Amino acid sequence: MTTPQGPTAAPITQDVLTIPRKLPEGGPVNLVGLTRPQLREALIAAGTPEKQAKMREGQIWQWIYHWGVRDFAQMTNLAKDYRALLAEHFVIGLPEVVTRQISADGTRKYLLRITGGHEVEAVYIPEENRGTLCISSQVGCTLTCSFCHTGTQKLVRNLTAGEIVGQVLVARDDLGEWPEPGAPKDETRLVSNVVLMGMGEPLYNFENVRDAMKVVMDGEGLSLSRRRITLSTSGVVPEIARTAEEIGCLLAISFHATTDEVRDRLVPINKRWNIETLLNVLRDYPRLSNSERITFEYVMLKGVNDSDADARRLVKLIAGIPAKINLIPFNEWPGAPYERSDWERIEAFADIVYKAGYASPIRTPRGEDIMAACGQLKSATERARREKTGLAG
Ligand code: SAH
Ligand code: SF4
């Protein structure tokens, strides 16, 4: 005879073991942003029989991420009692849209309020054959890149996985991009790409970003392939191999300079992990992540990093790394210690890079009338508010 704890006891899978089997106190739990194992565990903790948990997880997952449902009452393939149980313990909570601005070019900027009253921004950029959603990973940033307005703000906190996924759900809600139940599968995507290029350094919030991207990539829900997600980092070297292994998305590097002396000034994390150290870890990324190439972002600052010699040094440095160089005309902000390079200079720089065999697109500024460009997020809204209240300095 065996005891209940003996060899005949039901096996418990590894992922379930890692999560406490109790719902946290202090109100309903938000299901948005939980990974599949976390969701299953939360359902069990709320009283779902273990035998049914996997099936319920799949059903609820589809309702939230495939159909865009926000109310348990609409989950019609679940028994009424079970829906009531879910509503008692859980919510499907999204960041609150404080303002939405739409640019003349169709770019949409959302100011979102999250728990604690903090605000972050997300920007939707429609293009001919795709739509890119730029999302934030932190409120503020701990780093202090000297050309970036977000860098002048202190870090307030990391976003939770739910708040990161929530930005995608908010955009799809606003764009009306959810299938009608019963309608044939529609393959056109409004939000077809996601870039982690909003506020914050995603690799200083690794676990939440990873979990959020797992939700976004899941084939039964939002279903964006890992090749449609680009994570931009200033160069947090120890987390780059992990990004390849645990997320596998495309990588963009805020490179911006070709000597340590200049990069130390522009991207101060360079003092910790310099250009050589960064490039060494990047050489392994395409193989580790099975992705084709790395994007090098390069902000064009007049007289600082935009000479022909810089362009030549750049292509020499990255030799051997499958790469594309994205030239970003500097987005000026009041009080910024830099100016945007002249257009002819940017083109001459692009030409040298292109002739060396690298794609060198110049990023067209989008949503300029609503201050939706990289490095301007949140700060512009804060500024407008200060002006409105007469506090502008
Ligand atoms: N923290 C991450 C991602 C957010 S910033 C990173 O630094 O990569 C997204 C991109 O915008 C980065 O390449 C950043 O260097 C760039 N950026 C920041 N401020 C900018 C500005 N004022 N003009 C142009 N690009 C800017
Ligand atoms: Fe932070 Fe990126 Fe801005 Fe640097 S460029 S301060 S890492 S958000």
Side-chain angles (χ1 to χ4, degrees):
M1 229 183 106
T2 51
T3 62
Q5 286 79 35
T8 56
I12 299 172
T13 58
Q14 190 58 39
D15 51 23
V16 168
L17 271 177
T18 57
I19 304 150
R21 193 162 280 214
K22 199 169 153 255
L23 289 174
E25 285 165 18
V29 171
N30 189 6
L31 294 186
V32 176
L34 299 188
T35 59
R36 278 182 178 272
Q38 287 168 339
L39 172 60
R40 195 183 321 162
E41 192 55 23
L43 296 177
I44 293 170
T48 307
E50 262 179 67
K51 276 196 181 144
Q52 295 176 9
K54 183 143 181 56
M55 184 172 72
R56 300 286 172 246
E57 166 209 312
Q59 291 169 315
I60 295 165
W61 189 276
Q62 284 210 349
W63 282 118
I64 300 176
Y65 299 114
H66 179 75
W67 300 110
V69 160
R70 303 278 179 268
D71 184 353
F72 296 109
Q74 288 173 18
M75 301 186 175
T76 45
N77 58 354
L78 302 176
K80 272 210 171 126
D81 291 355
Y82 188 61
R83 286 184 245 164
L85 174 97
L86 293 175
E88 196 184 313
H89 294 286
F90 302 117
V91 289
I92 301 166
L94 304 193
E96 176 199 344
V97 180
V98 183
T99 57
R100 181 195 70 174
Q101 289 171 279
I102 305 183
S103 156
D105 69 15
T107 300
R108 291 174 182 227
K109 184 169 79 169
Y110 306 96
L111 176 66
L112 305 172
R113 186 173 296 139
I114 56 170
T115 309
H118 309 300
E119 288 170 352
V120 289
E121 288 187 346
V123 176
Y124 174 69
I125 307 152
E127 286 169 286
E128 201 144 311
N129 295 314
R130 61 183 193 174
T132 302
L133 183 69
C134 174
I135 60 175
S136 296
S137 56
Q138 299 183 310
V139 186
C141 188
T142 46
L143 301 172
T144 52
C145 303
S146 52
F147 56 90
C148 172
H149 207 174
T150 306
T152 65
Q153 301 166 28
K154 284 209 178 98
L155 176 77
V156 180
R157 71 166 168 84
N158 281 336
L159 297 192
T160 63
E163 289 160 348
I164 299 169
V165 175
Q167 295 171 65
V168 182
L169 301 184
V170 162
R172 290 198 68 171
D173 279 1
D174 183 48
L175 296 164
E177 199 191 6
W178 295 108
E180 287 292 323
K185 214 172 173 193
D186 179 4
E187 296 299 341
T188 55
R189 299 293 301 258
L190 295 173
V191 179
S192 64
N193 294 66
V194 164
V195 295
L196 283 145
M197 291 187 189
M199 296 167 64
E201 169 47 61
L203 295 190
Y204 275 150
N205 186 14
F206 186 87
E207 281 82 9
N208 289 335
V209 166
R210 176 199 58 203
D211 289 354
M213 292 308 107
K214 281 197 173 150
V215 172
V216 169
M217 293 187 286
D218 190 287
E220 308 247 302
L222 294 164
S223 199
L224 284 186
S225 98
R226 62 191 188 84
R227 284 158 199 271
R228 291 186 171 270
I229 297 171
T230 303
L231 183 151
S232 173
T233 178
S234 57
V236 185
V237 163
E239 306 291 349
I240 289 178
R242 247 183 117 192
T243 305
E245 283 154 11
E246 298 181 35
I247 309 177
C249 59
L250 303 183
L251 189 68
I253 297 290
S254 293
F255 205 62
H256 306 322
T258 60
T259 64
D260 281 324
E261 191 252 321
V262 176
R263 197 163 190 269
D264 280 353
R265 272 193 287 139
L266 298 182
V267 189
I269 201 176
N270 194 67
K271 292 184 206 152
R272 183 116 182 243
W273 295 292
N274 66 12
I275 291 179
E276 196 192 341
T277 316
L278 176 60
L279 289 172
N280 279 341
V281 72
L282 293 182
R283 282 179 214 289
D284 289 333
Y285 192 88
R287 182 181 49 80
L288 286 177
S289 66
N290 198 15
S291 65
E292 292 99 48
R293 53 187 185 170
I294 294 175
T295 300
F296 285 79
E297 297 164 280
Y298 198 95
V299 61
M300 299 298 291
L301 304 170
K302 193 184 218 161
V304 176
N305 63 355
D306 62 352
S307 68
D308 285 356
D310 277 305
R312 287 195 209 99
R313 258 196 308 269
L314 176 60
V315 293
K316 246 196 192 151
L317 281 170
I318 64 171
I321 303 177
K324 153 174 123 179
I325 288 126
N326 202 338
L327 299 174
I328 317 174
F330 174 56
N331 292 307
E332 296 183 10
W333 38 274
Y338 303 104
E339 284 173 70
R340 180 183 289 187
S341 306
D342 296 331
W343 193 252
E344 301 77 60
R345 185 86 298 274
I346 300 180
E347 284 191 325
F349 193 106
D351 203 46
I352 294 174
V353 174
Y354 181 74
K355 289 205 172 112
Y358 295 95
S360 56
I362 303 170
R363 194 180 289 173
T364 352
R366 295 289 304 262
E368 283 199 301
D369 49 338
I370 56 168
M371 302 274 288
C374 280
Q376 295 181 335
L377 298 187
K378 167 88 190 272
S379 355
T381 322
E382 280 194 341
R383 205 160 48 237
R385 194 170 295 162
R386 274 204 300 276
E387 278 158 16
K388 230 166 64 203
T389 51
L391 295 172

